[in-house]
Amino acid sequence: NVQSIRIERLKSIASEYSPEAVFNELLLVCGRKETKDPMLKFINAPARLEFLTAVALVQNFEGVDVCPNYAVDDEGLPTFTASGGMADIECHDKLTDDLVEVTLITSRKQVNDEMLPISRHLEEARRTNANTYSIFVAPSLHQDTKRYVSWVKFNESLDILAFAIEDFLQVLSQYSSFDDFVTA
């Protein structure tokens, strides 16, 4: 089963790497800098961002089912990013379902390429669970993305929590519960 191989490897890496090492690798990939890690250097940057974000979520939130959707090899390592039409990472907690989207895009393309699909996915997911949130993480947030997040909250009551990577890492380290994180 591909999903069990993916989850098994994710948990293995989460226990092998320190949270600080994962945070540092996330900063490297978002800064478009090469890693020296012998395993991570063979994962392309977009897939590495998804993988490391999933690892950070596993490390920081107990009791959360973190289900990444990136393609994996037979050892559970990412080979490509999640395909379109689904969240990069799905997180399931006692109270909430959360859709996590990550990107290396920093330009105004964030709105068309990321925000519009995120809104559609969130609206669809809320039909089955009203306590569904979306989390968006990028190296930096374009001003148009910030405006869109405010607009979609006001106009459609959709909760998209958008973070630049450094802010995301800071917030991750402040909460031990995913429920607290998304409802803060």
Side-chain angles (χ1 to χ4, degrees), residues 106-172:
T106 57
S107 69
R108 65 182 181 192
K109 286 181 62 173
Q110 283 179 344
V111 174
N112 286 337
D113 292 1
E114 301 292 342
M115 291 290 107
L116 296 174
I118 288 170
S119 299
R120 283 194 305 271
H121 296 156
L122 181 56
E123 186 175 38
E124 184 178 306
R126 284 222 169 147
R127 290 184 192 127
T128 55
N129 183 353
N131 291 325
T132 301
Y133 300 87
S134 278
I135 298 164
F136 175 71
V137 182
S140 62
L141 297 178
H142 191 274
Q143 192 63 32
D144 291 352
T145 297
K146 294 175 188 178
R147 282 190 183 112
Y148 182 82
V149 167
S150 296
W151 180 84
V152 79
K153 171 73 173 167
F154 174 78
N155 193 52
E156 299 179 31
S157 298
L158 294 176
D159 296 303
I160 301 172
L161 309 172
F163 296 97
I165 189 64
E166 290 181 10
D167 296 331
F168 178 70
L169 297 177
Q170 182 179 359
V171 170
L172 266 184

Side-chain angles (χ1 to χ4, degrees), residues 56-75:
L57 292 168
V58 167
Q59 288 178 329
N60 285 278
F61 299 122
E62 290 185 29
V64 175
D65 291 326
V66 177
C67 305
N69 288 312
Y70 47 74
V72 296
D73 63 15
D74 59 348
E75 294 181 1

